Amino acid sequence: MRPPIRYPETPGAMYEHLKSLLADVVLDYKLKQKAEIACEINRLKRQKGAVILGHNYMEPALYHSIPDYTGDSLFLSRMAAEAEARIVVFCGVRFMAETAKILNPSAKVLLPSSKGGCSLAEGVTAADIRDLRKLHPGAPVVSYVNCYAEVKAESDYCCTSANAATVVKALLAQGHRRIIFVPDHYLAANTARETGTRLILPERDGVGGWRNAEIPPGGEPVIIGWRARCEVHERFTVKDIENARREFPDVIVLAHPECHPDVVAAADFSGSTSQMLKYLEEHPRGRYLLLTECSMADNIASRHPDRRMLRLCSLRCPHMQEVTLEETLESLRQERYEIDVPADIGGRARTALDRMIATG
Ligand code: 13P
Ligand code: SF4
């Protein structure tokens, strides 16, 4: 496992550290409060033998003060699997914490939020997967990691936005011509385009049957998708990109693959949150528009003051925002909210997740 990120130990030094990064983003008196809370969290973390994982969408003060590891879903899943800690605190949403629990069942996994939902995870059920399998017997099921444990347990593979195309290409190379890919409509469409496959989107007809479920003639490989969408990323439009380019012709546009395929096609780069961060670090051009959760732009801007980040700031994930430094402190103090995944479901989901973390 990589060495964890280190932070200043005293509130005064933590305040100076946060101020150097966030003076333009967080009010000074708030920074002082946040620095004290962060130091208390880090003290408890050491005392209780905990590891804190922080998704790239965490609020800037949290992101820069307590996680042992920060990153995208794929990287954090790998860190969760390798963690030897008694407690893993997942600063993210529920499906991520469940994934950590499945990959590391002996750890006590805590989510600093009682809900931590996700419109994608809520958009598909285990019964939907069983029905899709009946509709297309023999087709392997790939679940985007943004789904709950029961859905993962019905799946053959999981993937994240960082390795969706790699997983699909591997299945095509094994000779599969039909691949069920749930729940994200737009990630499926973007993956279909990247892998040269055709997307169909079956939907229930309301009287026990299906519409749009037929495989088109011609024998070309087909992805059988689902209609769930990310409530944040579905709101970005091509117009947003055109407006940004009109005002700033040199802007580099980075779009998460949960965005509409037309948005992804109009962007300069598309990838997972960490892949976008890596692209930006490797292309120091000056001005960027990030079509993803806005906290991530704040986190990048504070670490790279030489890069100018344009933001569409009304677009934040309400579920990720439930996790704050204050909630994380209570989570560690009270050891709440503990994630429980029944052993039979966790055991079945594990195979699909192991394949995900082993891929690309
Ligand atoms: P990443 O896997 O790219 O971090 O994305 C997770 C997510 O929920 C994006 O909305
Ligand atoms: Fe789910 Fe979208 Fe929030 Fe990511 S940004 S956790 S996909 S609702």
PDB file of all heavy atoms in Angstrom, residues 77-78 80-82 98-107 149-158 341-358:
ATOM      1  N   SER A  77     -11.206   2.145  -4.244  1.00  0.00           N
ATOM      2  CA  SER A  77     -11.579   0.734  -4.053  1.00  0.00           C
ATOM      3  C   SER A  77     -10.318  -0.094  -3.801  1.00  0.00           C
ATOM      4  O   SER A  77     -10.291  -0.978  -2.939  1.00  0.00           O
ATOM      5  CB  SER A  77     -12.281   0.183  -5.298  1.00  0.00           C
ATOM      6  OG  SER A  77     -13.460   0.879  -5.546  1.00  0.00           O
ATOM      7  N   ARG A  78      -9.283   0.210  -4.574  1.00  0.00           N
ATOM      8  CA  ARG A  78      -8.020  -0.530  -4.384  1.00  0.00           C
ATOM      9  C   ARG A  78      -7.455  -0.264  -2.992  1.00  0.00           C
ATOM     10  O   ARG A  78      -6.984  -1.181  -2.309  1.00  0.00           O
ATOM     11  CB  ARG A  78      -7.006  -0.134  -5.450  1.00  0.00           C
ATOM     12  CG  ARG A  78      -7.395  -0.651  -6.822  1.00  0.00           C
ATOM     13  CD  ARG A  78      -6.284  -0.416  -7.843  1.00  0.00           C
ATOM     14  NE  ARG A  78      -6.640  -1.063  -9.107  1.00  0.00           N
ATOM     15  CZ  ARG A  78      -6.613  -0.472 -10.289  1.00  0.00           C
ATOM     16  NH1 ARG A  78      -6.213   0.776 -10.392  1.00  0.00           N
ATOM     17  NH2 ARG A  78      -6.953  -1.133 -11.382  1.00  0.00           N
ATOM     18  N   ALA A  80      -9.134   0.591  -0.336  1.00  0.00           N
ATOM     19  CA  ALA A  80     -10.006  -0.067   0.645  1.00  0.00           C
ATOM     20  C   ALA A  80      -9.665  -1.543   0.753  1.00  0.00           C
ATOM     21  O   ALA A  80      -9.607  -2.112   1.858  1.00  0.00           O
ATOM     22  CB  ALA A  80     -11.472   0.109   0.244  1.00  0.00           C
ATOM     23  N   ALA A  81      -9.411  -2.169  -0.387  1.00  0.00           N
ATOM     24  CA  ALA A  81      -9.094  -3.600  -0.387  1.00  0.00           C
ATOM     25  C   ALA A  81      -7.784  -3.870   0.349  1.00  0.00           C
ATOM     26  O   ALA A  81      -7.641  -4.885   1.044  1.00  0.00           O
ATOM     27  CB  ALA A  81      -9.008  -4.108  -1.826  1.00  0.00           C
ATOM     28  N   GLU A  82      -6.824  -2.950   0.223  1.00  0.00           N
ATOM     29  CA  GLU A  82      -5.488  -3.175   0.812  1.00  0.00           C
ATOM     30  C   GLU A  82      -5.382  -2.705   2.256  1.00  0.00           C
ATOM     31  O   GLU A  82      -4.429  -3.068   2.951  1.00  0.00           O
ATOM     32  CB  GLU A  82      -4.429  -2.413  -0.004  1.00  0.00           C
ATOM     33  CG  GLU A  82      -4.199  -3.004  -1.378  1.00  0.00           C
ATOM     34  CD  GLU A  82      -3.263  -2.135  -2.220  1.00  0.00           C
ATOM     35  OE1 GLU A  82      -2.466  -1.375  -1.642  1.00  0.00           O
ATOM     36  OE2 GLU A  82      -3.352  -2.231  -3.448  1.00  0.00           O
ATOM     37  N   GLU A  98     -20.055   0.757   0.598  1.00  0.00           N
ATOM     38  CA  GLU A  98     -20.426  -0.669   0.475  1.00  0.00           C
ATOM     39  C   GLU A  98     -19.335  -1.438  -0.271  1.00  0.00           C
ATOM     40  O   GLU A  98     -18.988  -2.560   0.108  1.00  0.00           O
ATOM     41  CB  GLU A  98     -21.726  -0.789  -0.324  1.00  0.00           C
ATOM     42  CG  GLU A  98     -22.975  -0.672   0.488  1.00  0.00           C
ATOM     43  CD  GLU A  98     -24.212  -1.019  -0.356  1.00  0.00           C
ATOM     44  OE1 GLU A  98     -24.082  -1.360  -1.555  1.00  0.00           O
ATOM     45  OE2 GLU A  98     -25.306  -0.943   0.210  1.00  0.00           O
ATOM     46  N   THR A  99     -18.825  -0.816  -1.323  1.00  0.00           N
ATOM     47  CA  THR A  99     -17.744  -1.460  -2.093  1.00  0.00           C
ATOM     48  C   THR A  99     -16.545  -1.729  -1.192  1.00  0.00           C
ATOM     49  O   THR A  99     -15.947  -2.820  -1.225  1.00  0.00           O
ATOM     50  CB  THR A  99     -17.341  -0.550  -3.280  1.00  0.00           C
ATOM     51  OG1 THR A  99     -18.496  -0.343  -4.092  1.00  0.00           O
ATOM     52  CG2 THR A  99     -16.237  -1.148  -4.111  1.00  0.00           C
ATOM     53  N   ALA A 100     -16.213  -0.735  -0.348  1.00  0.00           N
ATOM     54  CA  ALA A 100     -15.085  -0.913   0.585  1.00  0.00           C
ATOM     55  C   ALA A 100     -15.356  -2.081   1.533  1.00  0.00           C
ATOM     56  O   ALA A 100     -14.475  -2.900   1.809  1.00  0.00           O
ATOM     57  CB  ALA A 100     -14.863   0.381   1.368  1.00  0.00           C
ATOM     58  N   LYS A 101     -16.582  -2.189   2.019  1.00  0.00           N
ATOM     59  CA  LYS A 101     -16.930  -3.257   2.968  1.00  0.00           C
ATOM     60  C   LYS A 101     -16.824  -4.630   2.298  1.00  0.00           C
ATOM     61  O   LYS A 101     -16.323  -5.595   2.886  1.00  0.00           O
ATOM     62  CB  LYS A 101     -18.360  -3.023   3.498  1.00  0.00           C
ATOM     63  CG  LYS A 101     -18.843  -4.066   4.473  1.00  0.00           C
ATOM     64  CD  LYS A 101     -18.106  -3.988   5.806  1.00  0.00           C
ATOM     65  CE  LYS A 101     -18.473  -5.126   6.725  1.00  0.00           C
ATOM     66  NZ  LYS A 101     -17.669  -5.136   7.964  1.00  0.00           N
ATOM     67  N   ILE A 102     -17.285  -4.700   1.039  1.00  0.00           N
ATOM     68  CA  ILE A 102     -17.236  -5.993   0.328  1.00  0.00           C
ATOM     69  C   ILE A 102     -15.780  -6.398   0.092  1.00  0.00           C
ATOM     70  O   ILE A 102     -15.411  -7.562   0.234  1.00  0.00           O
ATOM     71  CB  ILE A 102     -17.999  -5.890  -1.019  1.00  0.00           C
ATOM     72  CG1 ILE A 102     -19.484  -5.644  -0.743  1.00  0.00           C
ATOM     73  CG2 ILE A 102     -17.805  -7.148  -1.851  1.00  0.00           C
ATOM     74  CD1 ILE A 102     -20.264  -5.155  -1.970  1.00  0.00           C
ATOM     75  N   LEU A 103     -14.939  -5.412  -0.235  1.00  0.00           N
ATOM     76  CA  LEU A 103     -13.535  -5.722  -0.533  1.00  0.00           C
ATOM     77  C   LEU A 103     -12.712  -5.938   0.732  1.00  0.00           C
ATOM     78  O   LEU A 103     -11.632  -6.510   0.687  1.00  0.00           O
ATOM     79  CB  LEU A 103     -12.920  -4.584  -1.365  1.00  0.00           C
ATOM     80  CG  LEU A 103     -13.447  -4.496  -2.801  1.00  0.00           C
ATOM     81  CD1 LEU A 103     -13.019  -3.186  -3.444  1.00  0.00           C
ATOM     82  CD2 LEU A 103     -12.953  -5.686  -3.636  1.00  0.00           C
ATOM     83  N   ASN A 104     -13.216  -5.475   1.862  1.00  0.00           N
ATOM     84  CA  ASN A 104     -12.465  -5.581   3.115  1.00  0.00           C
ATOM     85  C   ASN A 104     -13.449  -5.918   4.251  1.00  0.00           C
ATOM     86  O   ASN A 104     -13.696  -5.106   5.140  1.00  0.00           O
ATOM     87  CB  ASN A 104     -11.744  -4.248   3.380  1.00  0.00           C
ATOM     88  CG  ASN A 104     -10.679  -4.372   4.443  1.00  0.00           C
ATOM     89  OD1 ASN A 104     -10.695  -5.313   5.241  1.00  0.00           O
ATOM     90  ND2 ASN A 104      -9.752  -3.425   4.475  1.00  0.00           N
ATOM     91  N   PRO A 105     -14.026  -7.131   4.211  1.00  0.00           N
ATOM     92  CA  PRO A 105     -15.149  -7.434   5.110  1.00  0.00           C
ATOM     93  C   PRO A 105     -14.787  -7.430   6.589  1.00  0.00           C
ATOM     94  O   PRO A 105     -15.674  -7.256   7.441  1.00  0.00           O
ATOM     95  CB  PRO A 105     -15.612  -8.835   4.677  1.00  0.00           C
ATOM     96  CG  PRO A 105     -14.624  -9.329   3.691  1.00  0.00           C
ATOM     97  CD  PRO A 105     -13.732  -8.213   3.272  1.00  0.00           C
ATOM     98  N   SER A 106     -13.498  -7.609   6.947  1.00  0.00           N
ATOM     99  CA  SER A 106     -13.171  -7.642   8.377  1.00  0.00           C
ATOM    100  C   SER A 106     -13.055  -6.232   8.968  1.00  0.00           C
ATOM    101  O   SER A 106     -13.042  -6.066  10.195  1.00  0.00           O
ATOM    102  CB  SER A 106     -11.887  -8.438   8.625  1.00  0.00           C
ATOM    103  OG  SER A 106     -10.841  -7.804   7.938  1.00  0.00           O
ATOM    104  N   ALA A 107     -12.966  -5.205   8.142  1.00  0.00           N
ATOM    105  CA  ALA A 107     -12.881  -3.824   8.657  1.00  0.00           C
ATOM    106  C   ALA A 107     -14.275  -3.318   9.003  1.00  0.00           C
ATOM    107  O   ALA A 107     -15.271  -3.730   8.410  1.00  0.00           O
ATOM    108  CB  ALA A 107     -12.253  -2.914   7.607  1.00  0.00           C
ATOM    109  N   ALA A 149     -24.979  -3.093  -3.445  1.00  0.00           N
ATOM    110  CA  ALA A 149     -24.362  -4.421  -3.325  1.00  0.00           C
ATOM    111  C   ALA A 149     -25.218  -5.522  -3.962  1.00  0.00           C
ATOM    112  O   ALA A 149     -24.679  -6.451  -4.582  1.00  0.00           O
ATOM    113  CB  ALA A 149     -24.110  -4.724  -1.844  1.00  0.00           C
ATOM    114  N   GLU A 150     -26.560  -5.419  -3.824  1.00  0.00           N
ATOM    115  CA  GLU A 150     -27.447  -6.460  -4.362  1.00  0.00           C
ATOM    116  C   GLU A 150     -27.300  -6.551  -5.883  1.00  0.00           C
ATOM    117  O   GLU A 150     -27.404  -7.640  -6.460  1.00  0.00           O
ATOM    118  CB  GLU A 150     -28.914  -6.151  -4.034  1.00  0.00           C
ATOM    119  CG  GLU A 150     -29.278  -6.158  -2.554  1.00  0.00           C
ATOM    120  CD  GLU A 150     -28.841  -4.893  -1.819  1.00  0.00           C
ATOM    121  OE1 GLU A 150     -28.380  -3.930  -2.473  1.00  0.00           O
ATOM    122  OE2 GLU A 150     -28.928  -4.878  -0.576  1.00  0.00           O
ATOM    123  N   VAL A 151     -27.085  -5.399  -6.527  1.00  0.00           N
ATOM    124  CA  VAL A 151     -26.913  -5.379  -7.984  1.00  0.00           C
ATOM    125  C   VAL A 151     -25.537  -5.960  -8.348  1.00  0.00           C
ATOM    126  O   VAL A 151     -25.404  -6.772  -9.274  1.00  0.00           O
ATOM    127  CB  VAL A 151     -27.088  -3.939  -8.526  1.00  0.00           C
ATOM    128  CG1 VAL A 151     -26.691  -3.835  -9.994  1.00  0.00           C
ATOM    129  CG2 VAL A 151     -28.538  -3.494  -8.335  1.00  0.00           C
ATOM    130  N   LYS A 152     -24.536  -5.577  -7.580  1.00  0.00           N
ATOM    131  CA  LYS A 152     -23.185  -6.115  -7.848  1.00  0.00           C
ATOM    132  C   LYS A 152     -23.213  -7.643  -7.715  1.00  0.00           C
ATOM    133  O   LYS A 152     -22.551  -8.366  -8.465  1.00  0.00           O
ATOM    134  CB  LYS A 152     -22.168  -5.523  -6.872  1.00  0.00           C
ATOM    135  CG  LYS A 152     -21.915  -4.027  -7.095  1.00  0.00           C
ATOM    136  CD  LYS A 152     -20.830  -3.502  -6.161  1.00  0.00           C
ATOM    137  CE  LYS A 152     -20.427  -2.073  -6.492  1.00  0.00           C
ATOM    138  NZ  LYS A 152     -21.193  -1.035  -5.826  1.00  0.00           N
ATOM    139  N   ALA A 153     -24.005  -8.130  -6.734  1.00  0.00           N
ATOM    140  CA  ALA A 153     -24.056  -9.584  -6.495  1.00  0.00           C
ATOM    141  C   ALA A 153     -24.655 -10.330  -7.683  1.00  0.00           C
ATOM    142  O   ALA A 153     -24.413 -11.525  -7.857  1.00  0.00           O
ATOM    143  CB  ALA A 153     -24.868  -9.870  -5.233  1.00  0.00           C
ATOM    144  N   GLU A 154     -25.442  -9.654  -8.520  1.00  0.00           N
ATOM    145  CA  GLU A 154     -26.054 -10.287  -9.703  1.00  0.00           C
ATOM    146  C   GLU A 154     -25.169 -10.121 -10.934  1.00  0.00           C
ATOM    147  O   GLU A 154     -25.559 -10.533 -12.026  1.00  0.00           O
ATOM    148  CB  GLU A 154     -27.426  -9.659  -9.994  1.00  0.00           C
ATOM    149  CG  GLU A 154     -28.457  -9.828  -8.906  1.00  0.00           C
ATOM    150  CD  GLU A 154     -28.968 -11.260  -8.767  1.00  0.00           C
ATOM    151  OE1 GLU A 154     -28.864 -12.032  -9.740  1.00  0.00           O
ATOM    152  OE2 GLU A 154     -29.432 -11.604  -7.662  1.00  0.00           O
ATOM    153  N   SER A 155     -24.006  -9.472 -10.784  1.00  0.00           N
ATOM    154  CA  SER A 155     -23.196  -9.077 -11.952  1.00  0.00           C
ATOM    155  C   SER A 155     -21.983  -9.986 -12.129  1.00  0.00           C
ATOM    156  O   SER A 155     -21.508 -10.603 -11.176  1.00  0.00           O
ATOM    157  CB  SER A 155     -22.713  -7.632 -11.774  1.00  0.00           C
ATOM    158  OG  SER A 155     -23.814  -6.793 -11.489  1.00  0.00           O
ATOM    159  N   ASP A 156     -21.480 -10.028 -13.361  1.00  0.00           N
ATOM    160  CA  ASP A 156     -20.255 -10.792 -13.631  1.00  0.00           C
ATOM    161  C   ASP A 156     -19.014  -9.920 -13.455  1.00  0.00           C
ATOM    162  O   ASP A 156     -17.961 -10.401 -13.034  1.00  0.00           O
ATOM    163  CB  ASP A 156     -20.290 -11.319 -15.071  1.00  0.00           C
ATOM    164  CG  ASP A 156     -21.491 -12.211 -15.300  1.00  0.00           C
ATOM    165  OD1 ASP A 156     -21.589 -13.238 -14.612  1.00  0.00           O
ATOM    166  OD2 ASP A 156     -22.359 -11.858 -16.122  1.00  0.00           O
ATOM    167  N   TYR A 157     -19.155  -8.645 -13.824  1.00  0.00           N
ATOM    168  CA  TYR A 157     -18.035  -7.703 -13.728  1.00  0.00           C
ATOM    169  C   TYR A 157     -18.557  -6.392 -13.169  1.00  0.00           C
ATOM    170  O   TYR A 157     -19.688  -5.993 -13.466  1.00  0.00           O
ATOM    171  CB  TYR A 157     -17.439  -7.380 -15.116  1.00  0.00           C
ATOM    172  CG  TYR A 157     -16.830  -8.560 -15.799  1.00  0.00           C
ATOM    173  CD1 TYR A 157     -17.626  -9.477 -16.465  1.00  0.00           C
ATOM    174  CD2 TYR A 157     -15.454  -8.764 -15.764  1.00  0.00           C
ATOM    175  CE1 TYR A 157     -17.075 -10.582 -17.083  1.00  0.00           C
ATOM    176  CE2 TYR A 157     -14.888  -9.866 -16.383  1.00  0.00           C
ATOM    177  CZ  TYR A 157     -15.703 -10.773 -17.037  1.00  0.00           C
ATOM    178  OH  TYR A 157     -15.151 -11.867 -17.651  1.00  0.00           O
ATOM    179  N   CYS A 158     -17.725  -5.693 -12.425  1.00  0.00           N
ATOM    180  CA  CYS A 158     -17.977  -4.284 -12.142  1.00  0.00           C
ATOM    181  C   CYS A 158     -16.930  -3.482 -12.906  1.00  0.00           C
ATOM    182  O   CYS A 158     -15.899  -4.025 -13.347  1.00  0.00           O
ATOM    183  CB  CYS A 158     -17.849  -3.982 -10.652  1.00  0.00           C
ATOM    184  SG  CYS A 158     -19.236  -4.600  -9.692  1.00  0.00           S
ATOM    185  N   VAL A 341     -23.077  -5.254   4.887  1.00  0.00           N
ATOM    186  CA  VAL A 341     -23.456  -5.962   3.665  1.00  0.00           C
ATOM    187  C   VAL A 341     -23.589  -7.431   4.042  1.00  0.00           C
ATOM    188  O   VAL A 341     -22.612  -8.047   4.491  1.00  0.00           O
ATOM    189  CB  VAL A 341     -22.377  -5.796   2.559  1.00  0.00           C
ATOM    190  CG1 VAL A 341     -22.759  -6.595   1.312  1.00  0.00           C
ATOM    191  CG2 VAL A 341     -22.190  -4.329   2.199  1.00  0.00           C
ATOM    192  N   PRO A 342     -24.785  -8.026   3.907  1.00  0.00           N
ATOM    193  CA  PRO A 342     -24.940  -9.436   4.269  1.00  0.00           C
ATOM    194  C   PRO A 342     -23.889 -10.304   3.572  1.00  0.00           C
ATOM    195  O   PRO A 342     -23.564 -10.068   2.401  1.00  0.00           O
ATOM    196  CB  PRO A 342     -26.358  -9.778   3.792  1.00  0.00           C
ATOM    197  CG  PRO A 342     -27.069  -8.461   3.746  1.00  0.00           C
ATOM    198  CD  PRO A 342     -26.024  -7.430   3.394  1.00  0.00           C
ATOM    199  N   ALA A 343     -23.392 -11.320   4.317  1.00  0.00           N
ATOM    200  CA  ALA A 343     -22.243 -12.096   3.823  1.00  0.00           C
ATOM    201  C   ALA A 343     -22.528 -12.749   2.471  1.00  0.00           C
ATOM    202  O   ALA A 343     -21.650 -12.769   1.593  1.00  0.00           O
ATOM    203  CB  ALA A 343     -21.859 -13.147   4.859  1.00  0.00           C
ATOM    204  N   ASP A 344     -23.756 -13.273   2.255  1.00  0.00           N
ATOM    205  CA  ASP A 344     -24.000 -13.965   0.972  1.00  0.00           C
ATOM    206  C   ASP A 344     -23.968 -12.966  -0.192  1.00  0.00           C
ATOM    207  O   ASP A 344     -23.404 -13.243  -1.258  1.00  0.00           O
ATOM    208  CB  ASP A 344     -25.329 -14.742   1.004  1.00  0.00           C
ATOM    209  CG  ASP A 344     -26.521 -13.816   1.181  1.00  0.00           C
ATOM    210  OD1 ASP A 344     -26.435 -12.884   1.999  1.00  0.00           O
ATOM    211  OD2 ASP A 344     -27.540 -14.017   0.484  1.00  0.00           O
ATOM    212  N   ILE A 345     -24.509 -11.762   0.039  1.00  0.00           N
ATOM    213  CA  ILE A 345     -24.495 -10.743  -1.031  1.00  0.00           C
ATOM    214  C   ILE A 345     -23.061 -10.263  -1.263  1.00  0.00           C
ATOM    215  O   ILE A 345     -22.581 -10.170  -2.398  1.00  0.00           O
ATOM    216  CB  ILE A 345     -25.429  -9.571  -0.655  1.00  0.00           C
ATOM    217  CG1 ILE A 345     -26.872 -10.063  -0.706  1.00  0.00           C
ATOM    218  CG2 ILE A 345     -25.227  -8.366  -1.581  1.00  0.00           C
ATOM    219  CD1 ILE A 345     -27.905  -9.048  -0.318  1.00  0.00           C
ATOM    220  N   GLY A 346     -22.355  -9.985  -0.165  1.00  0.00           N
ATOM    221  CA  GLY A 346     -20.968  -9.520  -0.280  1.00  0.00           C
ATOM    222  C   GLY A 346     -20.101 -10.542  -0.996  1.00  0.00           C
ATOM    223  O   GLY A 346     -19.279 -10.202  -1.847  1.00  0.00           O
ATOM    224  N   GLY A 347     -20.298 -11.810  -0.659  1.00  0.00           N
ATOM    225  CA  GLY A 347     -19.498 -12.878  -1.267  1.00  0.00           C
ATOM    226  C   GLY A 347     -19.711 -12.935  -2.768  1.00  0.00           C
ATOM    227  O   GLY A 347     -18.760 -13.064  -3.552  1.00  0.00           O
ATOM    228  N   ARG A 348     -20.987 -12.802  -3.201  1.00  0.00           N
ATOM    229  CA  ARG A 348     -21.270 -12.875  -4.645  1.00  0.00           C
ATOM    230  C   ARG A 348     -20.784 -11.617  -5.366  1.00  0.00           C
ATOM    231  O   ARG A 348     -20.312 -11.682  -6.493  1.00  0.00           O
ATOM    232  CB  ARG A 348     -22.772 -13.090  -4.871  1.00  0.00           C
ATOM    233  CG  ARG A 348     -23.192 -14.528  -4.535  1.00  0.00           C
ATOM    234  CD  ARG A 348     -24.615 -14.820  -4.981  1.00  0.00           C
ATOM    235  NE  ARG A 348     -25.592 -14.117  -4.148  1.00  0.00           N
ATOM    236  CZ  ARG A 348     -26.601 -13.400  -4.610  1.00  0.00           C
ATOM    237  NH1 ARG A 348     -26.781 -13.263  -5.903  1.00  0.00           N
ATOM    238  NH2 ARG A 348     -27.445 -12.812  -3.789  1.00  0.00           N
ATOM    239  N   ALA A 349     -20.892 -10.469  -4.688  1.00  0.00           N
ATOM    240  CA  ALA A 349     -20.460  -9.211  -5.314  1.00  0.00           C
ATOM    241  C   ALA A 349     -18.935  -9.146  -5.425  1.00  0.00           C
ATOM    242  O   ALA A 349     -18.388  -8.466  -6.306  1.00  0.00           O
ATOM    243  CB  ALA A 349     -20.976  -8.026  -4.501  1.00  0.00           C
ATOM    244  N   ARG A 350     -18.254  -9.854  -4.567  1.00  0.00           N
ATOM    245  CA  ARG A 350     -16.791  -9.769  -4.488  1.00  0.00           C
ATOM    246  C   ARG A 350     -16.106 -10.164  -5.802  1.00  0.00           C
ATOM    247  O   ARG A 350     -15.131  -9.541  -6.228  1.00  0.00           O
ATOM    248  CB  ARG A 350     -16.332 -10.668  -3.324  1.00  0.00           C
ATOM    249  CG  ARG A 350     -14.846 -10.794  -3.129  1.00  0.00           C
ATOM    250  CD  ARG A 350     -14.321  -9.593  -2.368  1.00  0.00           C
ATOM    251  NE  ARG A 350     -12.889  -9.481  -2.511  1.00  0.00           N
ATOM    252  CZ  ARG A 350     -12.032  -9.437  -1.507  1.00  0.00           C
ATOM    253  NH1 ARG A 350     -12.475  -9.475  -0.277  1.00  0.00           N
ATOM    254  NH2 ARG A 350     -10.750  -9.311  -1.723  1.00  0.00           N
ATOM    255  N   THR A 351     -16.627 -11.208  -6.437  1.00  0.00           N
ATOM    256  CA  THR A 351     -15.995 -11.678  -7.677  1.00  0.00           C
ATOM    257  C   THR A 351     -16.016 -10.564  -8.727  1.00  0.00           C
ATOM    258  O   THR A 351     -15.004 -10.276  -9.375  1.00  0.00           O
ATOM    259  CB  THR A 351     -16.768 -12.908  -8.223  1.00  0.00           C
ATOM    260  OG1 THR A 351     -16.930 -13.818  -7.144  1.00  0.00           O
ATOM    261  CG2 THR A 351     -16.058 -13.570  -9.375  1.00  0.00           C
ATOM    262  N   ALA A 352     -17.184  -9.927  -8.876  1.00  0.00           N
ATOM    263  CA  ALA A 352     -17.301  -8.852  -9.876  1.00  0.00           C
ATOM    264  C   ALA A 352     -16.376  -7.693  -9.518  1.00  0.00           C
ATOM    265  O   ALA A 352     -15.752  -7.082 -10.395  1.00  0.00           O
ATOM    266  CB  ALA A 352     -18.754  -8.386  -9.952  1.00  0.00           C
ATOM    267  N   LEU A 353     -16.263  -7.399  -8.223  1.00  0.00           N
ATOM    268  CA  LEU A 353     -15.409  -6.273  -7.801  1.00  0.00           C
ATOM    269  C   LEU A 353     -13.928  -6.615  -7.934  1.00  0.00           C
ATOM    270  O   LEU A 353     -13.116  -5.753  -8.299  1.00  0.00           O
ATOM    271  CB  LEU A 353     -15.738  -5.897  -6.357  1.00  0.00           C
ATOM    272  CG  LEU A 353     -16.954  -4.980  -6.194  1.00  0.00           C
ATOM    273  CD1 LEU A 353     -17.304  -4.816  -4.722  1.00  0.00           C
ATOM    274  CD2 LEU A 353     -16.717  -3.607  -6.832  1.00  0.00           C
ATOM    275  N   ASP A 354     -13.565  -7.869  -7.629  1.00  0.00           N
ATOM    276  CA  ASP A 354     -12.153  -8.264  -7.793  1.00  0.00           C
ATOM    277  C   ASP A 354     -11.734  -8.090  -9.241  1.00  0.00           C
ATOM    278  O   ASP A 354     -10.621  -7.653  -9.549  1.00  0.00           O
ATOM    279  CB  ASP A 354     -11.950  -9.717  -7.346  1.00  0.00           C
ATOM    280  CG  ASP A 354     -11.849  -9.835  -5.830  1.00  0.00           C
ATOM    281  OD1 ASP A 354     -11.606  -8.803  -5.159  1.00  0.00           O
ATOM    282  OD2 ASP A 354     -12.021 -10.954  -5.303  1.00  0.00           O
ATOM    283  N   ARG A 355     -12.659  -8.440 -10.165  1.00  0.00           N
ATOM    284  CA  ARG A 355     -12.332  -8.278 -11.589  1.00  0.00           C
ATOM    285  C   ARG A 355     -12.171  -6.791 -11.922  1.00  0.00           C
ATOM    286  O   ARG A 355     -11.321  -6.431 -12.745  1.00  0.00           O
ATOM    287  CB  ARG A 355     -13.451  -8.880 -12.450  1.00  0.00           C
ATOM    288  CG  ARG A 355     -13.439 -10.402 -12.385  1.00  0.00           C
ATOM    289  CD  ARG A 355     -14.649 -10.963 -13.082  1.00  0.00           C
ATOM    290  NE  ARG A 355     -14.568 -12.418 -13.151  1.00  0.00           N
ATOM    291  CZ  ARG A 355     -15.608 -13.204 -13.372  1.00  0.00           C
ATOM    292  NH1 ARG A 355     -16.817 -12.681 -13.532  1.00  0.00           N
ATOM    293  NH2 ARG A 355     -15.456 -14.510 -13.433  1.00  0.00           N
ATOM    294  N   MET A 356     -12.964  -5.964 -11.289  1.00  0.00           N
ATOM    295  CA  MET A 356     -12.861  -4.509 -11.544  1.00  0.00           C
ATOM    296  C   MET A 356     -11.504  -3.973 -11.085  1.00  0.00           C
ATOM    297  O   MET A 356     -10.827  -3.267 -11.836  1.00  0.00           O
ATOM    298  CB  MET A 356     -13.985  -3.773 -10.800  1.00  0.00           C
ATOM    299  CG  MET A 356     -13.880  -2.269 -10.891  1.00  0.00           C
ATOM    300  SD  MET A 356     -15.095  -1.448  -9.836  1.00  0.00           S
ATOM    301  CE  MET A 356     -14.179  -1.235  -8.317  1.00  0.00           C
ATOM    302  N   ILE A 357     -11.112  -4.321  -9.841  1.00  0.00           N
ATOM    303  CA  ILE A 357      -9.875  -3.692  -9.356  1.00  0.00           C
ATOM    304  C   ILE A 357      -8.632  -4.292 -10.021  1.00  0.00           C
ATOM    305  O   ILE A 357      -7.576  -3.684 -10.043  1.00  0.00           O
ATOM    306  CB  ILE A 357      -9.748  -3.662  -7.822  1.00  0.00           C
ATOM    307  CG1 ILE A 357      -9.781  -5.022  -7.195  1.00  0.00           C
ATOM    308  CG2 ILE A 357     -10.766  -2.776  -7.185  1.00  0.00           C
ATOM    309  CD1 ILE A 357      -9.508  -4.956  -5.690  1.00  0.00           C
ATOM    310  N   ALA A 358      -8.804  -5.468 -10.651  1.00  0.00           N
ATOM    311  CA  ALA A 358      -7.669  -6.060 -11.373  1.00  0.00           C
ATOM    312  C   ALA A 358      -7.548  -5.489 -12.789  1.00  0.00           C
ATOM    313  O   ALA A 358      -6.565  -5.755 -13.486  1.00  0.00           O
ATOM    314  CB  ALA A 358      -7.848  -7.571 -11.438  1.00  0.00           C
TER     315      ALA A 358
END
